[in-house]
C-alpha cells in the first residue's frame, strides 16, 4: 500500500472524541451525567431509554453515581430498559458470577 493509500485509509476511519479524566470518580460522574441527560431527554419525549450495560469492576463507580442521582436528585428510571452485554450460560440468576445478580447488587 502506498503512502497516499495509507493516508486515505487513515483519514477514512471514524474519529471518536475522547475525554480523559484525572480519576475514576470524576470520569464516572461525567458519564453518569451523560446517561442521566439521555434518560431525561427520552422521558421528555415519552420514549424508552435503552441501555446496554457492562459488569465488572470498571462500571461500579458509575453505577454508584447513578444510584446517588436517583436517591438525591430524583433521577427516574421508569422509562429505562437495560440489557447486559453478556452473561454466562447456563447459570442461575442467584450465582455469585451472574451478571443479573451483579446488576441487582450495584444498580437496580
Amino acid at each position: 500500500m502506498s503512502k497516499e493509500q495509507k493516508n486515505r485509509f487513515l483519514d477514512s476511519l471514524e474519529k471518536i472524541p475522547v475525554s480523559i479524566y484525572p480519576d475514576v470518580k470524576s470520569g464516572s460522574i461525567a458519564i453518569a451525567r451523560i446517561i442521566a441527560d439521555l434518560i431525561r431527554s427520552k422521558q421528555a419525549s415519552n420514549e424508552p431509554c435503552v441501555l446496554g450495560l457492562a459488569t465488572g469492576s470498571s462500571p461500579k463507580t458509575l453505577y454508584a453515581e447513578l444510584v446517588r442521582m436517583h436517591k438525591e436528585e430524583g433521577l427516574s428510571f421508569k422509562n429505562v430498559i437495560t440489557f447486559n452485554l453478556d452473561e454466562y450460560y447456563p447459570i442461575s440468576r442467584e450465582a455469585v458470577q451472574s451478571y443479573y445478580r451483579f446488576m441487582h447488587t450495584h444498580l437496580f
Side-chain angles (χ1 to χ4, degrees), residues 40-52:
R40 290 182 184 116
S41 168
K42 294 290 187 173
Q43 284 172 348
S45 301
N46 202 27
E47 296 178 272
C49 180
V50 181
L51 302 174

Side-chain angles (χ1 to χ4, degrees), residues 3 6 20 33 45 58 62:
K3 185 175 181 179
K6 286 179 187 176
I20 298 173
R33 285 184 185 140
S45 301
S58 297
L62 166 63

Side-chain angles (χ1 to χ4, degrees), residues 10-24:
L10 291 174
D11 288 343
S12 71
L13 298 176
E14 184 176 352
K15 293 173 180 58
I16 300 171
V18 175
S19 298
I20 298 173
Y21 296 89
D23 53 57
V24 171

Side-chain angles (χ1 to χ4, degrees), residues 87-101:
E87 179 64 280
Y88 293 112
Y89 179 83
I91 193 168
S92 161
R93 287 181 167 186
E94 293 78 31
V96 175
Q97 302 87 355
S98 167
Y99 293 163
Y100 177 91
R101 180 177 173 177

